[in-house]
Amino acid sequence: MSNTPFPQTEPSPARSRQDSHFNRARSSIRRTISGHSAKMRAMLRPEIEVLNSTLEKLDQGVICIAAFGLVSRGKSAVLNALIGQKILQTGPLHGVTQYPRSVRWTIPPLPPLNKGGSSQVQVELIDTPGLDEIEGQARAKMAQDVARQADLILFVVSGDITRTEYEALCQLRKAQKAIILVFNKIDLYPEQDRQTIYANLQKLGAASGDDSILQELLSPDEIVMVAAEPAPLQVRVEMPDGKVSYEWESPPPQINELKQKILKILNREGRSLLALNALVQARDVEERIARKSIEMREKEAEDLIWQFTKYKAIAIAINPIAFLDVIGGTLTDLALIRALAKLYNLPMTSYEAGKLLKTILLSSGGLLLGEIGTTFLWGLGKSAAAISAGENPSNITAYAGAAIAQAGIAGYGAYAIGRAAQVYLEKGCTWGDNGPNTVIQEILNQVESHTILYRLRTELQPHFDKSTP
C-alpha cells in the first residue's frame, strides 16, 4: 500500500477545519468525563468506560470501516483486496465469516493538517457475518454494535439488489453513519453501472414509500463498482514444442476505485468524520448519564422542588408589594433551576437558567405565563388590602385571603417549573459551550456540500430538533 498514489491535497483551510473539529471533540469528551465526581464515576462506570474508550480511539486516530451485506456478497474479499493480502477467510460456502473480525489496514501518511502538525490516522477494517445469516435479535444487536463502532460503512451488494438488502441498508442508515454502497462482482454483471443501481434503489424506495430518504443520503457518487475476487479465466498456453494446454488464471482484483474513494474521504474529511462519530457516541452516553442521574436523585429532587415551592409561596404571601412578588417569584424559579442542575451535576450559569426558564414558560401554552399575571393581579389586590387594613383592621381578612390564594398559585407555578426543568435538564445536558451537540452542530455547519459528512446533516437534524433545550 505504501506506493498507492494519494489524492490531491486539499487547501490548508479545509485541513485546519479538520484539526479544529478533532480538538473540539477531544475537549468535549474530556469535559464530560472530568465533570463528574469520583463517587458518580463509580456509579456510572459502564458509561464512563465507553467515554474513555471513545477518547482513546480519538487519541490514537483510529478510523473504523465496517463491511456489511448479505451472505456471499464478497465482504471478506473486498477487505482482502483493499489490504492487498488474503487475511480474511473467503470461500464458496455460505457463512464463512461467523463473527465480526477486524484487521489493520496500513495506508500512506495523510498530508499534514497544518504546519508542524500531523494528520496520520490508523484504519481498522471490520468484517461481519451476513446480515441474513444471523437470526432476529442477535443479528440486529450485532449490526447495531458494529455500526456503533464504525466511522464509515461499506455496504456490499452484487447482482440485483433485493428487498432484504434495501431494508438492511435503511436500518444501517439509522446508525447515522456515512455509507458507501459497494457493488461487487462487476466482472459477472458487466451491464450494471451506478445509475442503474441508483435507479433500482429509487424503485425499491418508491415501493416502500420512503424513497426520499435514500435520495437524500445516497447519491450515485456513493456507489462504487469493484471485482474483489474476479472469477478465474481459462487461458490457452502454447508450449515451445507446440503442445497446447489450458489453465485457469485468476485476474487481479478491480479494487482501485474503492481504494481511492476511501483515501479521498480520509484525506478530505477523515478526522472530521472521526470527531463527529465520537461526539455522536458521547452525546448518547451523556444522555444516558443524565437519565441515570435524574433517576438516582429523584427523591432529592422532589424534596428540593417542594422546598422551593414552600419558600416561594411563603415569601409571596407575606410580601405586601405587588411588583416585588413577580420579581421575587422569578428569582426563586431561577434559583430552583440552578439548584436542580447542581444536584444533577450538570453545568448551568445564571444566563442559561434564564434561557431555560423562558423556554419553559413559552412552552407551557401560556399556563405558567398566566400564573405570573395572576400573581401580579392578586398582588395588587393584596397590596390594596394591606393599605386599607391600616385604616380598617377588619380588612386584614381580605389581605389574608388574597395572600393565601396568591401563595397557592405561586406554589403551583414553582412546582410545575421544577418538574419541567428536570425534563429540559435531561435533554440539555449535551448542549452548552462545549457539549457534544453544540460541537456536532458546529461541524455540520462547516462541512462542504460535496462531502460525505454533508449527507449526514439530514439524518442528524431530527435529533437536534428533539433534544434542543
Side-chain angles (χ1 to χ4, degrees):
M1 273 298 303
S2 59
N3 60 349
T4 302
F6 209 90
Q8 185 176 0
T9 304
E10 286 215 323
S12 179
R15 300 197 300 275
S16 296
R17 275 199 301 272
Q18 286 198 65
D19 200 15
S20 173
H21 298 162
F22 193 80
N23 290 332
R24 287 277 278 145
R26 287 196 298 186
S27 175
S28 176
I29 296 173
R30 286 193 183 116
R31 178 202 68 100
T32 301
I33 296 172
S34 62
H36 298 280
S37 64
K39 181 180 177 181
M40 280 299 296
R41 284 200 292 270
M43 298 174 71
L44 300 168
R45 183 171 298 169
E47 288 77 15
I48 298 299
E49 285 178 355
V50 171
L51 289 173
N52 281 324
S53 176
T54 303
L55 183 59
E56 182 180 0
K57 182 171 176 281
L58 266 179
D59 289 337
Q60 294 178 355
V62 179
I63 291 182
C64 294
I65 301 177
F68 282 91
L70 303 190
V71 168
S72 297
R73 298 308 192 259
K75 299 181 296 297
S76 301
V78 167
L79 299 185
N80 283 337
L82 284 173
I83 300 166
Q85 303 177 58
K86 193 168 182 179
I87 296 177
L88 301 168
Q89 185 181 2
T90 62
L93 299 177
H94 282 198
V96 172
T97 303
Q98 298 294 322
Y99 51 89
R101 291 188 58 193
S102 64
V103 60
R104 285 294 172 95
W105 177 25
T106 304
I107 65 171
L110 302 183
L113 289 174
N114 47 40
K115 190 174 181 180
S118 172
S119 60
Q120 182 59 28
V121 297
Q122 303 177 64
V123 179
E124 182 177 352
L125 301 176
I126 304 175
D127 193 17
T128 64
L131 291 173
D132 53 340
E133 182 184 9
I134 305 175
E135 292 298 329
Q137 292 184 347
R139 176 180 64 191
K141 186 177 186 308
M142 183 275 295
Q144 186 181 42
D145 290 344
V146 176
R148 188 183 299 115
Q149 299 176 48
D151 301 295
L152 177 65
I153 291 175
L154 306 180
F155 192 85
V156 182
V157 300
S158 61
D160 290 334
I161 297 175
T162 67
R163 167 64 55 185
T164 301
E165 285 175 316
Y166 175 83
E167 291 173 352
L169 181 59
C170 290
Q171 190 67 30
L172 283 172
R173 257 188 50 265
K174 295 179 181 178
Q176 301 174 345
K177 300 296 175 70
I179 298 177
I180 296 176
L181 183 68
V182 180
F183 189 96
N184 190 26
K185 306 182 182 181
I186 191 61
D187 55 315
L188 302 180
Y189 304 96
E191 75 285 355
Q192 294 281 0
D193 59 28
R194 291 185 187 84
Q195 290 299 333
T196 301
I197 297 167
Y198 183 62
N200 289 338
L201 285 173
Q202 288 180 305
K203 289 178 183 177
L204 287 167
S208 302
D210 58 359
D211 57 305
S212 61
I213 297 175
L214 276 177
Q215 288 181 30
E216 292 170 351
L217 297 180
L218 186 64
S219 75
D221 289 339
E222 277 78 60
I223 301 173
V224 179
M225 319 297 286
V226 304
E229 203 171 47
L233 299 175
Q234 191 177 45
V235 295
R236 184 176 183 272
V237 180
E238 186 172 343
M239 307 301 289
D241 60 1
K243 291 183 179 180
V244 175
S245 64
Y246 291 89
E247 298 178 359
W248 290 95
E249 197 173 274
S250 296
Q254 300 175 34
I255 199 69
N256 195 57
E257 183 182 344
L258 176 60
K259 189 180 295 184
Q260 292 300 311
K261 181 76 172 178
I262 293 173
L263 292 177
K264 183 179 179 181
I265 290 173
L266 297 184
N267 175 40
R268 182 180 62 191
E269 50 192 316
R271 281 162 64 96
S272 293
L273 186 63
L274 181 58
L276 181 66
N277 289 330
L279 288 164
V280 168
Q281 191 167 15
R283 174 198 68 192
D284 295 341
V285 171
E286 195 163 347
E287 288 176 348
R288 292 204 302 272
I289 289 175
R291 285 194 294 271
K292 273 192 174 183
S293 298
I294 287 174
E295 290 169 3
M296 287 187 294
R297 293 182 167 130
E298 179 66 27
K299 179 64 169 62
E300 294 176 73
E302 181 75 13
D303 292 342
L304 185 65
I305 291 172
W306 275 114
Q307 184 180 16
F308 272 85
T309 297
K310 288 186 289 185
Y311 287 161
K312 182 177 179 180
I314 293 171
I316 286 181
I318 63 176
N319 173 55
I321 304 175
F323 78 91
L324 289 181
D325 288 341
V326 175
I327 295 175
T330 301
L331 291 176
T332 304
D333 293 337
L334 291 173
L336 171 57
I337 291 172
R338 293 199 67 184
L340 284 170
K342 184 178 180 181
L343 176 65
Y344 297 136
N345 201 32
L346 300 173
M348 177 68 67
T349 64
S350 298
Y351 174 70
E352 289 167 338
K355 287 203 305 181
L356 180 52
L357 178 59
K358 180 180 177 182
T359 302
I360 292 172
L361 293 175
L362 293 177
S363 64
S364 66
L367 186 63
L368 294 177
L369 285 173
E371 178 258 322
I372 294 176
T374 304
T375 296
F376 183 70
L377 291 175
W378 276 105
L380 290 176
K382 183 182 63 176
S383 299
I387 293 171
S388 60
E391 301 172 357
N392 184 1
S394 64
N395 285 335
I396 194 68
T397 304
Y399 176 87
I404 292 171
Q406 190 185 25
I409 294 170
Y412 161 77
Y415 186 81
I417 286 170
R419 281 304 188 187
Q422 284 183 288
V423 176
Y424 279 94
L425 286 171
E426 180 181 345
K427 289 184 176 183
C429 64
T430 58
W431 294 90
D433 290 340
N434 209 25
N437 266 333
T438 301
V439 183
I440 290 172
Q441 189 75 76
E442 287 177 8
I443 292 175
L444 294 180
N445 286 342
Q446 293 174 9
V447 297
E448 298 179 6
S449 58
H450 63 281
T451 63
I452 202 165
L453 279 175
Y454 186 82
R455 295 193 170 275
L456 293 178
R457 292 177 61 172
T458 305
E459 187 67 23
L460 289 165
Q461 195 60 50
H463 185 95
F464 291 138
D465 296 339
K466 293 178 182 178
S467 64
T468 305

